[in-house]
Each structure stands twice: as structure tokens, then as C-alpha cells.
Amino acid sequence: IFLIALGFSLAQVITPTAAKASSTTAEPVPPQCSDYMILDDPTRTVYYGPEMYCDVYDIATKSPDWQGPAWYRMLPPAGIMMPQKTPGRQRCGTGMAGWLDGQHPEIQFQTTVNARVCFDIDFGPDSNCFQESTTNITNCGQFYVYQLQDTPYCDARYCSYDPVELNMDEVEEKLTGKGLL
């Protein structure tokens, strides 16, 4: 139930798959599938509460794993992908949690261009996309990579989570108890 609330279908929960490749001929591997930076800071996960980290390179409160605009792959303990629904306010070690307002590409080596990333500040009913930016996302077969820019504000950060390790009952209980659901 919680995965559906986060915007995932069962096919998207496991990982991207090569089974949906668009042709039987071998497609060239996009360079971003082997040349990327890593986002793996444990405070980046949707489970983590507020901190003051941000994904802006030249600032004192820069996220420990942020290296400036580049292609990034999300890895544990942070998670493996960007959530497709807001995790709520003050999650992911920041004030404005960044989430994907759309879908991840389903076909291997497909790139979604100009996907909308929202930053939730929760000033009211319409503030789960208080600020936004765009990203390109590539399905690399077993993982996704994101072409990320510095966030629009310093109190904003890209969130990550691992749907395979998601304990739906525990997370829903925690988020409901904190008034986030």
C-alpha cells in the first residue's frame, strides 16, 4: 500500500530491468551508465529526519556525498532511487526534500529528459512542490542514474530510498505518527 502511495508499480519496485529492452540487437551502453558520481550518505534516505544539508557545491552545509552538478547513481545506505512521491517535510537530512514528480524510464538505456524534481517545504496544501528543477534519468538496466544540478536553495536536497528494503508497516506508522501522512 505504501509503495503505491509513493507512486510505484510492482514492476518498478524491484529494479529497472533489461527484459523491457526495445529491440533484440545490442544497444550501446550510454556513457553515464559507467561514468557517474555516487550518492550514498545515510542521511539522504526518506527515513531520515531534518538536518541542514543541501546539494549545493560551494557552501558549508553541502551534503557529504555531493560533488556538484553531474550524473549520479544512488546507492545504499542512502537508497537506490529517487522517490516518486513526496516523503514529507523535513525528511532526507534537509528542510526541503527533493522527489521525482513523474516516472522513471522503464526501458533499458532509455533516458527521460527534463523530468520534474520537486522540493517539499510544506507551507500548506500546495507546497509539496514549493521549488522545482529538472533532471535527466537513464535506466542502466540494473540501476538508474540522474543528471543532477545544484538545488535551487541550500535547504534542499535530493532524496533516495530502497523500495526492496522498505518495511511498509513500519514506515507508514512512523510517518503517520509524525503527522507526515
Short mmCIF file of all heavy atoms in Angstrom, two decimals, residues 49-80:
data_model
loop_
_atom_site.label_atom_id
_atom_site.label_comp_id
_atom_site.label_asym_id
_atom_site.label_seq_id
_atom_site.Cartn_x
_atom_site.Cartn_y
_atom_site.Cartn_z
N GLY A 49 15.29 12.16 9.30
CA GLY A 49 14.60 13.41 9.60
C GLY A 49 15.37 14.64 9.17
O GLY A 49 16.24 14.58 8.30
N PRO A 50 15.09 15.78 9.81
CA PRO A 50 15.68 17.04 9.38
C PRO A 50 17.14 17.20 9.78
O PRO A 50 17.56 16.75 10.84
CB PRO A 50 14.82 18.09 10.06
CG PRO A 50 14.29 17.41 11.28
CD PRO A 50 14.12 15.97 10.90
N GLU A 51 17.88 17.80 8.92
CA GLU A 51 19.24 18.30 9.13
C GLU A 51 19.31 19.57 8.29
O GLU A 51 18.29 20.02 7.78
CB GLU A 51 20.29 17.29 8.64
CG GLU A 51 20.42 16.06 9.49
CD GLU A 51 21.26 16.26 10.74
OE1 GLU A 51 22.00 17.25 10.83
OE2 GLU A 51 21.16 15.43 11.63
N MET A 52 20.47 20.08 8.08
CA MET A 52 20.60 21.29 7.27
C MET A 52 21.46 21.05 6.02
O MET A 52 22.03 21.98 5.47
CB MET A 52 21.19 22.43 8.10
CG MET A 52 20.26 22.91 9.19
SD MET A 52 18.61 23.40 8.60
CE MET A 52 19.01 24.84 7.64
N TYR A 53 21.56 19.80 5.57
CA TYR A 53 22.35 19.53 4.38
C TYR A 53 21.65 20.05 3.13
O TYR A 53 20.43 20.14 3.08
CB TYR A 53 22.58 18.03 4.21
CG TYR A 53 23.52 17.43 5.22
CD1 TYR A 53 23.13 16.36 6.00
CD2 TYR A 53 24.81 17.93 5.38
CE1 TYR A 53 23.99 15.79 6.92
CE2 TYR A 53 25.68 17.36 6.29
CZ TYR A 53 25.27 16.29 7.06
OH TYR A 53 26.13 15.74 7.96
N CYS A 54 22.48 20.36 2.13
CA CYS A 54 21.92 20.76 0.84
C CYS A 54 22.85 20.27 -0.27
O CYS A 54 24.01 19.95 -0.03
CB CYS A 54 21.74 22.27 0.76
SG CYS A 54 23.27 23.21 0.91
N ASP A 55 22.28 20.18 -1.47
CA ASP A 55 23.06 19.75 -2.63
C ASP A 55 23.47 20.98 -3.46
O ASP A 55 23.03 21.18 -4.59
CB ASP A 55 22.25 18.75 -3.47
CG ASP A 55 22.10 17.41 -2.75
OD1 ASP A 55 22.96 17.09 -1.91
OD2 ASP A 55 21.13 16.68 -3.04
N VAL A 56 24.27 21.81 -2.82
CA VAL A 56 24.88 22.97 -3.45
C VAL A 56 26.37 22.86 -3.15
O VAL A 56 26.76 22.72 -2.00
CB VAL A 56 24.30 24.30 -2.91
CG1 VAL A 56 25.02 25.49 -3.51
CG2 VAL A 56 22.80 24.37 -3.16
N TYR A 57 27.20 22.92 -4.18
CA TYR A 57 28.61 22.57 -4.02
C TYR A 57 29.41 23.51 -3.13
O TYR A 57 30.10 23.08 -2.23
CB TYR A 57 29.29 22.43 -5.39
CG TYR A 57 30.67 21.87 -5.26
CD1 TYR A 57 30.86 20.55 -4.89
CD2 TYR A 57 31.78 22.67 -5.45
CE1 TYR A 57 32.13 20.02 -4.73
CE2 TYR A 57 33.06 22.15 -5.30
CZ TYR A 57 33.22 20.83 -4.94
OH TYR A 57 34.48 20.31 -4.78
N ASP A 58 29.35 24.79 -3.36
CA ASP A 58 30.23 25.73 -2.64
C ASP A 58 29.56 26.34 -1.43
O ASP A 58 29.34 27.55 -1.36
CB ASP A 58 30.70 26.85 -3.59
CG ASP A 58 31.74 26.36 -4.57
OD1 ASP A 58 32.50 25.45 -4.21
OD2 ASP A 58 31.80 26.91 -5.69
N ILE A 59 29.25 25.52 -0.45
CA ILE A 59 28.60 26.03 0.76
C ILE A 59 28.98 25.13 1.93
O ILE A 59 29.22 23.94 1.76
CB ILE A 59 27.07 26.12 0.56
CG1 ILE A 59 26.45 27.01 1.62
CG2 ILE A 59 26.41 24.78 0.52
CD1 ILE A 59 25.25 27.76 1.13
N ALA A 60 29.02 25.66 3.13
CA ALA A 60 29.48 24.92 4.30
C ALA A 60 28.58 23.74 4.65
O ALA A 60 29.07 22.72 5.15
CB ALA A 60 29.58 25.86 5.51
N THR A 61 27.28 23.82 4.38
CA THR A 61 26.36 22.73 4.73
C THR A 61 26.10 21.78 3.56
O THR A 61 25.10 21.08 3.52
CB THR A 61 25.02 23.29 5.24
OG1 THR A 61 24.47 24.17 4.25
CG2 THR A 61 25.20 24.03 6.56
N LYS A 62 27.05 21.71 2.64
CA LYS A 62 26.97 20.81 1.49
C LYS A 62 26.85 19.37 1.98
O LYS A 62 27.51 18.96 2.93
CB LYS A 62 28.21 20.97 0.62
CG LYS A 62 28.31 20.00 -0.54
CD LYS A 62 29.63 20.17 -1.29
CE LYS A 62 30.80 19.56 -0.61
NZ LYS A 62 30.86 18.13 -0.57
N SER A 63 26.00 18.60 1.32
CA SER A 63 25.87 17.18 1.63
C SER A 63 27.23 16.49 1.51
O SER A 63 28.00 16.80 0.59
CB SER A 63 24.89 16.51 0.66
OG SER A 63 23.62 17.10 0.75
N PRO A 64 27.54 15.55 2.41
CA PRO A 64 28.84 14.88 2.39
C PRO A 64 29.15 14.17 1.07
O PRO A 64 30.31 14.06 0.69
CB PRO A 64 28.76 13.87 3.53
CG PRO A 64 27.70 14.39 4.44
CD PRO A 64 26.72 15.12 3.56
N ASP A 65 28.12 13.71 0.37
CA ASP A 65 28.35 12.96 -0.87
C ASP A 65 28.12 13.79 -2.14
O ASP A 65 28.27 13.29 -3.25
CB ASP A 65 27.47 11.71 -0.92
CG ASP A 65 25.99 12.00 -0.71
OD1 ASP A 65 25.61 13.17 -0.47
OD2 ASP A 65 25.18 11.04 -0.77
N TRP A 66 27.79 15.08 -2.02
CA TRP A 66 27.51 15.93 -3.17
C TRP A 66 28.82 16.49 -3.73
O TRP A 66 29.62 17.06 -3.01
CB TRP A 66 26.58 17.07 -2.80
CG TRP A 66 26.18 17.92 -3.96
CD1 TRP A 66 26.60 19.19 -4.22
CD2 TRP A 66 25.32 17.56 -5.03
NE1 TRP A 66 26.03 19.64 -5.38
CE2 TRP A 66 25.23 18.65 -5.91
CE3 TRP A 66 24.60 16.39 -5.34
CZ2 TRP A 66 24.47 18.63 -7.07
CZ3 TRP A 66 23.82 16.38 -6.49
CH2 TRP A 66 23.77 17.47 -7.34
N GLN A 67 29.03 16.31 -5.05
CA GLN A 67 30.26 16.78 -5.69
C GLN A 67 29.98 17.78 -6.81
O GLN A 67 30.81 17.98 -7.69
CB GLN A 67 31.03 15.57 -6.24
CG GLN A 67 31.46 14.63 -5.14
CD GLN A 67 32.22 13.45 -5.68
OE1 GLN A 67 33.16 13.62 -6.46
NE2 GLN A 67 31.82 12.26 -5.30
N GLY A 68 28.82 18.40 -6.78
CA GLY A 68 28.47 19.37 -7.80
C GLY A 68 27.67 18.74 -8.92
O GLY A 68 27.43 17.53 -8.93
N PRO A 69 27.22 19.54 -9.87
CA PRO A 69 26.40 19.03 -10.97
C PRO A 69 27.11 17.91 -11.74
O PRO A 69 28.28 18.05 -12.12
CB PRO A 69 26.20 20.25 -11.86
CG PRO A 69 26.33 21.42 -10.93
CD PRO A 69 27.38 21.00 -9.94
N ALA A 70 26.40 16.79 -11.93
CA ALA A 70 26.98 15.62 -12.61
C ALA A 70 25.90 14.53 -12.73
O ALA A 70 24.78 14.69 -12.23
CB ALA A 70 28.16 15.07 -11.81
N TRP A 71 26.26 13.43 -13.36
CA TRP A 71 25.42 12.22 -13.34
C TRP A 71 25.70 11.51 -12.02
O TRP A 71 26.86 11.36 -11.61
CB TRP A 71 25.76 11.30 -14.50
CG TRP A 71 25.19 11.76 -15.81
CD1 TRP A 71 25.81 12.49 -16.77
CD2 TRP A 71 23.86 11.51 -16.29
NE1 TRP A 71 24.96 12.72 -17.82
CE2 TRP A 71 23.75 12.12 -17.56
CE3 TRP A 71 22.74 10.83 -15.77
CZ2 TRP A 71 22.60 12.08 -18.32
CZ3 TRP A 71 21.59 10.79 -16.53
CH2 TRP A 71 21.51 11.40 -17.79
N TYR A 72 24.63 11.06 -11.34
CA TYR A 72 24.75 10.38 -10.06
C TYR A 72 23.97 9.07 -10.06
O TYR A 72 22.88 8.99 -10.61
CB TYR A 72 24.18 11.25 -8.92
CG TYR A 72 25.09 12.38 -8.51
CD1 TYR A 72 24.98 13.63 -9.10
CD2 TYR A 72 26.04 12.20 -7.51
CE1 TYR A 72 25.81 14.67 -8.72
CE2 TYR A 72 26.86 13.24 -7.12
CZ TYR A 72 26.75 14.47 -7.73
OH TYR A 72 27.56 15.50 -7.35
N ARG A 73 24.54 8.09 -9.35
CA ARG A 73 23.84 6.85 -9.02
C ARG A 73 23.62 6.83 -7.52
O ARG A 73 24.53 7.17 -6.75
CB ARG A 73 24.68 5.64 -9.43
CG ARG A 73 24.04 4.32 -9.07
CD ARG A 73 24.88 3.15 -9.50
NE ARG A 73 24.27 1.89 -9.09
CZ ARG A 73 24.82 0.71 -9.23
NH1 ARG A 73 26.02 0.60 -9.79
NH2 ARG A 73 24.19 -0.37 -8.81
N MET A 74 22.42 6.44 -7.08
CA MET A 74 22.11 6.34 -5.66
C MET A 74 22.38 4.92 -5.18
O MET A 74 21.97 3.96 -5.83
CB MET A 74 20.65 6.73 -5.42
CG MET A 74 20.40 8.19 -5.79
SD MET A 74 18.69 8.68 -5.55
CE MET A 74 18.81 10.43 -5.85
N LEU A 75 23.10 4.82 -4.06
CA LEU A 75 23.47 3.52 -3.51
C LEU A 75 23.20 3.48 -2.01
O LEU A 75 23.19 4.52 -1.34
CB LEU A 75 24.97 3.25 -3.75
CG LEU A 75 25.38 2.92 -5.18
CD1 LEU A 75 26.90 2.87 -5.30
CD2 LEU A 75 24.77 1.60 -5.62
N PRO A 76 23.02 2.26 -1.45
CA PRO A 76 22.87 2.13 0.00
C PRO A 76 24.11 2.66 0.71
O PRO A 76 25.20 2.62 0.15
CB PRO A 76 22.72 0.62 0.21
CG PRO A 76 22.22 0.11 -1.11
CD PRO A 76 22.86 1.00 -2.15
N PRO A 77 23.95 3.17 1.90
CA PRO A 77 22.76 3.13 2.75
C PRO A 77 21.73 4.21 2.47
O PRO A 77 20.70 4.25 3.12
CB PRO A 77 23.33 3.26 4.16
CG PRO A 77 24.57 4.07 3.98
CD PRO A 77 25.12 3.69 2.64
N ALA A 78 22.00 5.09 1.49
CA ALA A 78 21.02 6.15 1.19
C ALA A 78 19.75 5.59 0.56
O ALA A 78 18.66 6.04 0.83
CB ALA A 78 21.64 7.18 0.24
N GLY A 79 19.90 4.59 -0.27
CA GLY A 79 18.80 4.03 -1.05
C GLY A 79 19.28 3.82 -2.47
O GLY A 79 20.46 4.01 -2.77
N ILE A 80 18.36 3.45 -3.37
CA ILE A 80 18.79 3.16 -4.73
C ILE A 80 18.09 4.00 -5.79
O ILE A 80 18.45 3.95 -6.96
CB ILE A 80 18.60 1.66 -5.08
CG1 ILE A 80 17.14 1.25 -4.99
CG2 ILE A 80 19.50 0.80 -4.22
CD1 ILE A 80 16.85 -0.13 -5.56
#
